[in-house]
């Protein structure tokens, strides 16, 4: 085969060299097959012919396989359809079988009843019928409706149905079953009237479970925060005099009946209306009577649970007090039973939301006992006792009582608890207590600021809110402001301004504002980047927070370096934007900051470049109802500062500043008049402004003010007239014609040296007019 064979062999080798994990073995076999076929054909055989033949064969094989696959898939699809039909048919048959069996057993039981051959077993099986939930409900209803059933058989049936109620799935509460549940409820209420404790206990348990499940079904789609909806079952209980029946059962001599009746009351009275109705029917008084007389811890537990559930109603909060119920609840705090203690503190937590109850509890020594309960070695009880004290501490006298009983120290100690609910309520109690000035100081003296600062970094927003609220109150005391800085509290407070929680931001801003009254804290805020934060938040926060932040910035802007930082962090445009804020207090404080900042040359230039003068004029030209005395005073003071810049004097006139300032000379507020006159004092250094003020009637108003008794106003007015009459004969004549000479001469005897100096210089200017000179000389 020579060279031809070598060429073919090299091709085979190339084919085989293709590495593929899935096809390497078949490829080897195929290569060997081709080689053998080619050798069999001898020298005349060609590789191309052989490959073409094989390709034709492969194509035919592929088509046949595709056909076979399609046939088998069709057969499979038909089998699947048939299987689905069979399964559906089987389900239908099983359901029919279940229904038939149920009806059969029902019929057998009925026949047994009719023939007098009923057996305990058949009655007992009624609540365990095979079949759907509807059949079970019908069977149990049949049992309740049957007469002459033995007590022990009925007890077993009730117990079995109680198990079903506990395990029942939600489908049992579908609309089709509601009427059955309603009938069962009505029948249970009827049975409960019979004084058979053994039956009543289980019937009450079933009724409680039915009510709970029905309420869950009624409220399932609702989200947290919506009022509880009453279910049809609850309405049926109420409408069938069920509340009256439950109250009677609370007076049972059997403790288990009392216990289950209390549980049922808690389940049924789940809306404001039913709670109030329970109170009106005497239920609250009955529960209080149990607390006074019962020795059973189980009864006391459930009575307390029922009582605090009813105390969610404002009506019942009052009723507990008027029925003398606070004392027995407080008495429960002596019990050495965790469940009783916890529910007693929960009850007091709800009851202390009523202001009169806070006083009554104090009169019953309840605050002292709650403070003692804080030492009980159970964090849940500690938390709830602290919560009740938190409520009590909103009363001014209670704040003092808590302090006198050592409660501040105890609450501070609880801040170190490892349980968040304890920390939250202890901090809440301190927040209310720290409204009292003595308590503010005591928190610091007892080392309370340090743990409060630590709680600011808690991941629990409620804890942070209460801790920051307490610090807000405490920071109202000067010594606490210093302590907070030294303890490193300013930085964590600043970080609260970025919280996602509005209340936390407000509390943090309030504490920051109070601390800013300390001069060292003003510096500390700047060093911590606080001034930049305040400026950045001016257009990014709600009114509640903004009011405190802008107040802080106003206080901090007294410091010279802080004024520069406000400018450097682009604060002036934001402050000018605040002049459009709908709240007067925001506009006032923004103007106060501009007034403070404009006392330096660099800031004046920056404000002028930001169009500060026309914005101030715009504010003063606003509707009268938008102009508070402070707005007018601060705006005029800001213009006074800006007018000290020589380049701004002409600009101020062109922007209409002189017109509004002249109008302000007639304002009823002396502070406004003083600053308006001061602004005109600076502006009239400019010669053109002297002419302008005369043209707009300003000279007349200035002369009128020469009779003012306010020394600050007088000094500015005389100074402004002095400027207006300098090298301006027209103004000199106007002042004389308005009777100004007489007033100016009279002021030479004023006790204020500054006024005398200004009046003297003014008369000197006036004397350059010959007639004025003669009048002055003869005066």
């Amino acid at each position: 085969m020579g060279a031809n064979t070598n060429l073919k062999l090299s091709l085979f080798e190339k084919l085989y060299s293709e590495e593929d994990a899935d096809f390497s073995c078949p490829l080897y076999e195929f290569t060997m097959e081709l080689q053998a076929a080619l050798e069999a054909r001898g020298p005349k055989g060609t590789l191309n012919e052989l490959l073409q033949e094989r390709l034709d064969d492969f194509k035919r094989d592929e088509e046949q396989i595709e056909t076979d696959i399609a046939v088998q898939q069709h057969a499979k699809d038909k089998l699947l359809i048939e299987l689905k039909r069979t399964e559906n048919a089987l389900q239908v048959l099983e359901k029919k079988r279940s229904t038939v069996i149920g009806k059969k057993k029902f019929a057998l039981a009925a026949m047994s009843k009719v023939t007098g051959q009923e057996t305990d077993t058949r009655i007992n099986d009624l609540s365990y019928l095979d079949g759907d939930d509807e059949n079970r409900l019908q069977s149990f209803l049949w049992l309740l409706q049957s007469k002459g059933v033995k007590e022990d058989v009925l007890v077993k049936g009730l117990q079995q149905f109680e198990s079903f109620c506990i395990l029942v799935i939600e489908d049992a509460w579908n609309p089709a079953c509601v009427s059955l549940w309603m009938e069962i409820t009505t029948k249970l209420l009827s049975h409960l009237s019979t004084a058979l404790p053994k039956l009543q206990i289980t019937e009450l348990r079933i009724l409680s479970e039915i009510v709970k499940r029905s309420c869950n079904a009624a409220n399932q789609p609702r989200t947290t925060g919506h009022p509880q909806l009453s279910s049809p079952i609850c309405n049926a209980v109420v409408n069938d005099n069920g509340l009256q029946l439950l109250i009677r059962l609370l007076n049972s001599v059997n403790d288990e009946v009392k216990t289950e009746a209390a549980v049922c009351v808690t389940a049924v009275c789940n809306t404001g209306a039913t709670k109030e109705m329970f109170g009106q029917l005497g239920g609250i008084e009955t529960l209080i009577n149990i607390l006074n007389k019962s020795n059973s811890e189980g009864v006391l537990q459930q009575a307390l649970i029922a009582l605090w559930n009813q105390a969610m109603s404002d009506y019942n909060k009052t009723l507990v007090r008027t029925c003398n119920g606070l004392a027995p609840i407080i008495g429960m705090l002596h019990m050495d039973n965790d469940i009783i203690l916890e529910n007693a503190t929960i009850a007091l937590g709800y009851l202390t939301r009523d202001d009169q109850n806070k006083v009554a509890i104090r009169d019953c020594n309840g605050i002292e006992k709650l403070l003692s309960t804080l030492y009980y070695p159970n964090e849940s009880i500690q938390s709830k006792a602290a919560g009740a004290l938190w409520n009590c501490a909103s009363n001014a006298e209670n704040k003092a009582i808590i302090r006198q009983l050592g409660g501040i120290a105890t609450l501070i100690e609880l801040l170190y608890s490892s349980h968040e609910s304890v920390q939250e309520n202890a901090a809440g109690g301190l927040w209310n207590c720290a409204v009292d000035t003595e308590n503010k100081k005591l928190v610091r003296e007892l080392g309370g600021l340090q743990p409060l600062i630590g709680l600011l970094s808690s991941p629990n927003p409620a804890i942070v809110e209460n801790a920051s609220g307490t610090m807000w109150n405490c920071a109202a005391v000067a010594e606490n402001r210093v302590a907070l800085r030294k303890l490193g509290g300013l930085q964590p407070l600043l970080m609260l301004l970025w919280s996602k929680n509005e209340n936390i931001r407000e509390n943090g801003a309030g504490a920051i504002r109070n601390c800013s009254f300390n001069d060292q804290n003003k510096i500390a805020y700047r060093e911590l980047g606080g001034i930049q934060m305040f400026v950045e938040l001016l257009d990014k926060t709600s009114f509640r927070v903004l009011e405190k932040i802008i107040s802080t910035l106003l206080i901090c802007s007294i410091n010279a370096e802080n004024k520069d930082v406000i400018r450097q962090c682009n604060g002036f445009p934001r402050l000018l934007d605040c002049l459009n804020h709908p709240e007067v207090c925001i506009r006032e404080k923004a103007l106060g900051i501009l007034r403070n900042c404009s006392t330096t040359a660099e800031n004046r230039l920056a404000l002028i470049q930001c169009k500060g003068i026309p914005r101030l004029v715009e504010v003063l030209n606003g509707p009268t109802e938008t102009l508070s005395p402070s707005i007018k005073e601060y705006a005029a003071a800001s213009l006074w500062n800006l007018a000290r810049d020589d380049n701004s004097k002409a600009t101020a006139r062109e922007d209409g500043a002189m017109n509004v300032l002249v109008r302000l000379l007639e304002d009823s507020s002396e502070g406004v008049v003083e600053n308006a006159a001061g602004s005109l004092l600076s502006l009239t250094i400019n010669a053109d402004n002297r002419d302008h003020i005369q043209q707009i009637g300003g000279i007349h108003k200035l002369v009128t003010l020469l009779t003012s008794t306010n020394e600050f106003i007088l000094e500015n007015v005389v100074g402004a007239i002095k400027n207006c009459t300098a090298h301006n004969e027209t103004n000199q004549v106007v002042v004389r014609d308005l009777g100004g000479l007489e007033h100016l001469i009279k002021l030479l005897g004023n006790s204020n040296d500054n006024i005398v100096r200004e009046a003297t210089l003014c008369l000197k200017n006036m004397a350059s007019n010959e007639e004025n000179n003669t009048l002055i000389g003869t005066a």
Side-chain angles (χ1 to χ4, degrees):
M1 299 189 327
N4 188 32
T5 301
N6 291 336
L7 178 63
K8 295 169 185 174
L9 288 173
S10 66
L11 179 60
F12 296 151
E13 291 171 358
K14 182 178 180 181
L15 287 171
Y16 183 61
S17 69
E18 299 288 341
E19 295 293 339
D20 189 316
D22 293 333
F23 294 101
S24 58
C25 289
L27 182 59
Y28 173 77
E29 294 175 358
F30 179 55
T31 303
M32 295 301 101
E33 179 187 341
L34 285 176
Q35 187 173 1
L38 194 59
E39 289 175 351
R41 292 192 180 193
K44 294 182 180 180
T46 65
L47 182 59
N48 286 344
E49 291 174 352
L50 184 59
L51 288 171
Q52 185 60 52
E53 290 175 5
R54 290 293 184 270
L55 285 171
D56 293 342
D57 293 342
F58 292 153
K59 185 176 181 181
R60 285 192 296 274
D61 291 346
E62 183 181 13
E63 290 173 352
Q64 184 59 48
I65 290 170
E66 291 292 340
T67 300
D68 292 344
I69 288 174
V71 170
Q72 294 302 320
Q73 184 63 48
H74 179 70
K76 177 184 175 182
D77 291 343
K78 290 183 67 177
L79 287 172
L80 288 173
I81 292 171
E82 189 60 33
L83 178 62
K84 184 65 177 177
R85 288 175 181 168
T86 303
E87 288 177 346
N88 291 340
L90 183 60
Q91 289 178 358
V92 171
L93 290 172
E94 287 177 346
K95 189 171 182 180
K96 286 182 178 179
R97 181 183 65 179
S98 177
T99 302
V100 168
I101 290 174
K103 290 179 178 179
K104 174 184 174 184
K105 290 192 175 183
F106 208 1
L108 286 172
M111 182 184 296
S112 176
K113 179 71 177 176
V114 171
T115 60
Q117 299 175 355
E118 89 180 313
T119 64
D120 291 352
T121 302
R122 285 177 178 170
I123 296 294
N124 190 40
D125 284 345
L126 286 176
S127 59
Y128 269 115
L129 284 175
D130 294 331
D132 58 23
D133 293 328
E134 188 173 352
N135 281 339
R136 294 172 190 253
L137 297 178
Q138 289 172 338
S139 300
F140 183 64
L141 182 59
W142 182 87
L143 174 61
L144 292 176
Q145 292 170 337
S146 299
K147 297 181 180 179
V149 180
K150 294 179 181 179
E151 182 177 341
D152 59 337
V153 175
L154 188 55
V155 168
K156 289 181 181 179
L158 289 168
Q159 290 172 341
Q160 289 176 349
F161 190 72
E162 180 187 2
S163 299
F164 166 70
C165 287
I166 293 171
L167 300 174
V168 68
I169 57 174
E170 297 303 325
D171 289 348
W173 299 102
N174 63 52
C177 295
V178 169
S179 60
L180 286 172
W181 285 112
M182 296 276 282
E183 289 186 65
I184 288 171
T185 300
T186 301
K187 205 62 187 175
L188 281 170
L189 291 171
S190 175
H191 272 238
L192 281 168
S193 300
T194 304
L196 294 172
K198 195 173 182 181
L199 294 176
Q200 288 173 322
I201 291 166
T202 308
E203 287 165 348
L204 283 167
R205 286 176 183 161
I206 293 173
L207 184 59
S208 296
E209 199 62 41
I210 291 174
V211 169
K212 291 175 189 175
R213 289 307 190 100
S214 68
C215 288
N216 289 341
N219 290 278
Q220 187 176 14
R222 301 176 69 76
T223 57
T224 302
H226 286 80
Q228 180 84 1
L229 291 178
S230 181
S231 71
I233 299 295
C234 288
N235 293 336
V237 173
V238 173
N239 294 335
D240 286 348
N241 296 319
L243 291 182
Q244 293 91 325
L245 174 61
L246 291 173
I247 292 170
R248 285 204 307 275
L249 293 175
L250 286 172
N251 288 309
S252 171
V253 295
N254 185 289
D255 282 345
E256 281 193 77
V257 172
K258 282 183 182 176
T259 300
E260 296 305 330
V263 172
C264 201
V265 165
T266 302
V268 172
C269 300
N270 53 37
T271 67
T274 52
K275 293 178 197 297
E276 187 170 331
M277 184 182 296
F278 178 78
Q280 292 169 343
L281 292 170
I284 296 296
E285 192 171 358
T286 301
L287 289 171
I288 292 170
N289 190 50
I290 290 174
L291 297 184
N292 281 318
K293 295 182 178 180
S294 179
N295 294 318
S296 167
E297 292 190 352
V299 173
L300 291 174
Q301 288 171 14
Q302 293 304 325
L304 281 169
I305 292 172
L307 194 57
W308 68 251
N309 269 280
Q310 304 317 303
M312 293 180 186
S313 157
D314 290 341
Y315 176 83
N316 288 341
K317 289 182 179 73
T318 301
L319 201 55
V320 170
R321 181 182 70 254
T322 57
C323 290
N324 299 315
L326 294 175
I329 297 172
I330 292 169
M332 295 292 110
L333 298 179
H334 289 302
M335 299 285 288
D336 189 21
N337 178 306
D338 285 12
I339 298 176
I340 289 177
L341 268 175
E342 182 161 14
N343 285 291
T345 52
I346 293 173
L348 290 171
Y350 280 111
L351 291 165
T352 50
R353 296 179 184 181
D354 178 272
D355 288 340
Q356 293 185 57
N357 285 348
K358 294 168 188 174
V359 176
I361 285 172
R362 180 182 71 236
D363 294 340
C364 294
N365 297 320
I367 292 177
E368 183 177 1
K369 291 176 182 176
L370 281 169
L371 285 170
S372 298
T373 307
L374 293 179
Y375 291 101
Y376 193 82
N378 180 306
E379 291 77 10
S380 180
I381 292 171
Q382 289 176 346
S383 170
K384 293 172 177 65
L389 283 166
W390 178 3
N391 291 341
C392 287
S394 65
N395 175 278
E397 191 171 340
N398 287 351
K399 291 176 176 65
I401 293 293
I402 290 171
R403 178 180 69 250
Q404 294 161 10
L405 293 171
I408 303 298
T410 307
L411 290 171
I412 289 172
E413 185 179 342
L414 291 179
L415 296 178
Y416 291 99
S417 171
S418 59
H419 292 261
E420 290 188 343
S421 63
V422 177
Q423 293 175 337
E424 176 188 347
N425 289 336
L430 287 170
W431 186 358
N432 273 352
C433 285
V435 173
D436 178 274
T437 302
E438 290 301 314
N439 288 344
K440 290 179 173 74
K441 297 175 182 177
L442 193 58
V443 169
R444 180 191 76 254
E445 293 167 359
L446 294 173
L449 294 180
Q450 188 68 66
L452 286 168
I453 291 170
L455 291 178
L456 295 183
S457 58
S458 170
N460 186 321
I463 293 174
V464 178
E465 181 178 341
N466 291 350
S468 58
T470 306
M471 292 176 71
W472 180 3
N473 285 345
C474 288
V477 172
E479 296 86 351
N480 289 352
R481 298 166 190 158
V482 176
L484 283 169
R485 182 184 73 252
K486 291 182 176 180
L487 291 170
L490 298 186
Q491 179 69 36
L493 284 172
L494 288 171
M495 291 302 100
L496 297 184
L497 296 178
W498 304 103
S499 171
K500 295 180 180 178
N501 184 299
E502 174 82 3
N503 293 334
I504 292 174
R505 291 198 302 275
E506 182 181 15
N507 290 349
I512 289 167
R513 179 183 61 187
N514 284 352
C515 287
S516 67
F517 287 105
N518 178 276
D519 288 340
Q520 291 301 313
N521 288 348
K522 295 179 178 70
I523 297 170
Y525 283 146
R526 181 179 71 249
E527 294 172 346
L528 293 169
I531 304 299
Q532 291 92 326
M533 288 186 194
F534 305 149
V535 169
E536 186 175 350
L537 288 167
L538 287 177
D539 55 2
K540 293 181 180 177
T541 192
S542 66
F543 167 70
R544 286 164 51 193
V545 180
L546 174 61
E547 187 272 331
K548 296 165 185 64
I549 288 176
I550 202 167
S551 295
T552 305
L553 201 55
L554 174 60
I555 297 165
C556 288
S557 66
I558 296 170
N559 178 279
E561 292 182 54
N562 287 348
K563 296 175 186 179
D564 292 335
V565 174
I566 292 172
R567 180 192 75 249
Q568 292 161 4
C569 62
N570 203 32
F572 292 159
R574 285 190 169 98
L575 288 166
L576 290 171
D577 286 342
C578 286
L579 301 182
N580 294 321
H581 199 280
E583 294 293 336
V584 172
C585 64
I586 301 299
R587 301 200 299 274
E588 288 177 346
K589 292 176 173 63
L591 285 166
I593 298 167
L594 292 172
R595 175 202 61 187
N596 290 348
C597 290
S598 59
T599 57
T600 69
E602 286 185 86
N603 285 348
R604 285 197 290 270
L605 179 60
L607 261 173
I608 292 169
Q609 291 173 343
C610 290
K611 305 295 182 184
I613 292 177
R615 284 294 291 112
L616 292 168
V617 171
E618 182 183 348
V619 168
L620 291 172
N621 278 325
T624 304
E625 63 271 15
T626 67
L627 300 177
S628 68
S630 293
I631 285 178
K632 291 182 284 188
E633 180 178 342
Y634 295 161
S638 299
L639 285 172
W640 185 358
N641 288 337
L642 294 176
R644 294 176 184 180
D645 184 272
D646 290 337
N647 296 323
S648 70
K649 290 177 170 54
T651 302
R653 180 185 70 250
E654 294 164 359
D655 290 332
M658 296 186 70
N659 297 63
V660 294
L661 290 167
V662 167
R663 188 172 70 243
L664 291 179
L665 292 176
E666 296 180 315
D667 198 85
S668 59
S669 167
E670 291 188 340
V672 174
V673 175
E674 176 193 346
N675 284 286
S679 298
L680 292 171
L681 169 63
S682 290
L683 289 170
T684 50
I685 293 173
N686 177 282
D688 291 335
N689 287 349
R690 297 169 195 162
D691 294 331
H692 184 69
I693 195 171
Q694 186 274 325
Q695 294 166 3
I696 61 175
I699 301 291
H700 178 271
K701 293 181 180 178
L702 286 169
V703 171
T704 302
L705 288 170
L706 288 174
T707 59
S708 173
T709 58
N710 184 305
E711 292 184 348
F712 299 106
I713 293 175
L714 268 178
E715 185 176 341
N716 290 341
V717 167
V718 175
I721 295 174
K722 174 198 70 177
N723 289 343
C724 290
T725 57
H727 312 294
N728 190 312
E729 190 168 356
T730 302
N731 287 349
Q732 294 166 6
V733 173
V734 171
V735 171
R736 182 188 70 223
D737 293 344
L738 291 170
L741 275 177
E742 181 183 349
H743 294 301
L744 288 167
I745 292 169
K746 186 177 180 180
L747 289 175
L748 294 176
N750 194 282
S751 60
N752 186 304
D753 291 343
N754 291 333
I755 294 173
V756 173
R757 184 189 67 250
E758 292 299 302
T760 302
L761 293 172
C762 186
L763 288 170
K764 181 181 177 182
N765 289 342
M766 293 286 289
S768 62
N769 175 275
E770 185 175 348
E771 185 176 349
N772 287 347
N773 186 44
T774 302
L775 291 171
I776 293 170
T778 58

